[in-house]
Amino acid sequence: MVDMETRAQHETPIDMKHAAKNRKLIVANWKMNPQTRKEAGQLSRAVQQGIRGAKNVEVVLCPPLPYLSIVNCQLSVVGKGAQNCFYQQNGAYTGEVSPAMLKDIGCGYVIIGHSERKKYAGETNEIINKKLKAALRAGLKVILCIGEESRDSFDSRGRWTHELDPKVKEQLVEAVKGVKKSQIGNIAVAYEPVWAIGTGNPATPDDVLSAKIFIRKIMSELYSRKDADKVLVLYGGSTNRKNTVDFIKDGQMDGLLVGGASLDPEEFITMIKEVSEVS
Ligand code: PGA
């Protein structure tokens, strides 16, 4: 017999009509935090309770793997995602976790290509592409992270000039190589400039709007305008309750990928409520 918790996990309310207008996607990337299962449970419960009734927003918690089971979606207001996966579905790959396994335990999403994985686990564009395709094949939605390393991509007036950084384009083009048109709507691209992550130094709404236009333009060239419009564009990098509304309204973001601030339930709940109100 399937117990209630298991059933709830499998019935994760991942009704992510990506194209749905005004519906924002807020993803919590807990990274390698918190340090105990107890704290993870408290954080997850606090968020799930705190955001009850929030409309027009889809919230996805991405805890470390050992804590995935504590986000049981019983309160049915959040979905859950993993921070990484491998590109094979099973087999002799010691230490790896497959997208199929994530799907099986109720994950709806997986973050792929985060800059910290590039930095500490040596992930390349080629590996990211393989992971992305494997995750989509397993039926997961993907949060694909892209972003430049330094502020060198800014012009003399301090404006983000994506054309100066061919690497951002390269990251996106390489990541979606071989991805079918029909799968594009299952990808959300998170623009995460590396210099803004965890630094308290976020990009501006203007920067992220330029990035969104740039991302949509590349996707239009690779697929079609209609397909490109299905791709949500999120922003990540030092987001908090003070800048949330600016990114959503002025930056026209379809959502946020939140690191540090997602570990503070009060801060994170406030961010979600603000997004809900302006959407
Ligand atoms: P931050 O992290 O919000 O702590 O800057 C964002 C991320 O790395 O996804």
Side-chain angles (χ1 to χ4, degrees):
M1 208 178 94
V2 182
D3 64 26
M4 284 300 286
E5 182 168 330
T6 310
R7 187 185 304 159
Q9 286 175 359
H10 285 262
E11 289 171 0
T12 306
I14 312 277
D15 174 25
M16 269 109 20
K17 301 269 187 307
H18 264 167
K21 293 275 177 282
N22 296 329
R23 193 166 166 81
K24 306 296 187 224
L25 177 63
I26 308 294
V27 184
N29 177 9
W30 289 2
K31 307 193 180 186
M32 206 167 70
N33 300 293
Q35 288 188 49
T36 64
R37 183 182 159 84
K38 190 172 166 209
E39 287 170 276
Q42 285 165 347
L43 178 55
S44 159
R45 276 192 300 279
V47 172
Q48 295 189 79
Q49 272 155 10
I51 64 168
R52 272 183 156 168
K55 298 213 168 43
N56 302 321
V57 60
E58 179 89 41
V59 178
V60 178
L61 301 184
C62 300
L65 275 177
Y67 303 150
L68 269 171
S69 63
I70 55 113
V71 185
N72 60 28
C73 308
Q74 258 173 339
L75 300 174
S76 74
V77 281
V78 300
K80 66 178 165 184
Q83 298 171 16
N84 178 38
C85 67
F86 195 51
Y87 50 76
Q88 299 287 357
Q89 304 295 352
N90 67 287
Y93 305 102
T94 304
E96 297 292 355
V97 171
S98 78
M101 291 169 186
L102 295 176
K103 181 82 183 160
D104 186 56
I105 60 162
C107 282
Y109 273 101
V110 62
I111 298 171
I112 289 183
H114 193 281
S115 61
E116 285 151 15
R117 297 226 30 99
K118 291 181 190 154
K119 184 172 173 190
Y120 300 112
E123 285 194 7
T124 60
N125 288 342
E126 196 190 340
I127 293 173
I128 290 165
N129 172 249
K130 284 185 179 178
K131 290 187 171 188
L132 178 93
K133 285 190 288 193
L136 292 173
R137 219 177 304 125
L140 294 170
K141 310 243 179 199
V142 173
I143 317 288
L144 169 67
C145 301
I146 60 167
E148 74 278 4
E149 287 279 335
S150 74
R151 279 184 173 279
D152 293 347
S153 324
F154 285 72
D155 69 13
S156 53
R157 283 176 299 149
R159 293 175 65 101
W160 190 72
T161 50
H162 45 260
E163 302 294 358
L164 285 181
D165 198 337
K167 283 209 189 118
V168 177
K169 179 171 183 180
E170 190 183 293
Q171 286 170 10
L172 182 55
V173 172
E174 296 283 316
V176 299
K177 221 177 230 173
V179 173
K180 295 190 199 92
K181 218 174 158 57
S182 59
Q183 297 174 309
I184 284 301
N186 292 330
I187 300 175
V189 177
Y191 169 58
E192 291 217 315
V194 179
W195 51 265
I197 296 176
T199 59
N201 181 24
T204 66
D206 268 6
D207 298 333
V208 304
L209 180 55
S210 305
K212 179 173 180 175
I213 294 165
F214 182 57
I215 289 163
R216 286 263 164 89
K217 181 169 163 261
I218 296 168
M219 295 305 274
S220 295
E221 284 163 12
L222 293 173
Y223 296 91
S224 71
R225 174 80 199 273
K226 211 169 135 215
D227 294 310
D229 283 347
K230 292 183 197 154
V231 176
L232 295 187
V233 180
L234 318 183
Y235 168 69
S238 299
T239 51
N240 55 43
R241 71 166 98 182
K242 292 200 192 104
N243 56 31
T244 290
V245 171
D246 295 344
F247 286 122
I248 300 294
K249 275 180 84 178
D250 303 340
Q252 294 181 32
M253 288 294 100
D254 302 309
L256 301 172
L257 177 52
V258 187
S262 70
L263 296 169
D264 175 343
E266 203 197 315
E267 179 85 8
F268 190 54
I269 291 163
T270 305
M271 292 170 78
I272 292 162
K273 287 188 172 161
E274 292 199 337
V275 172
S276 171
E277 272 161 31
V278 294
S279 302

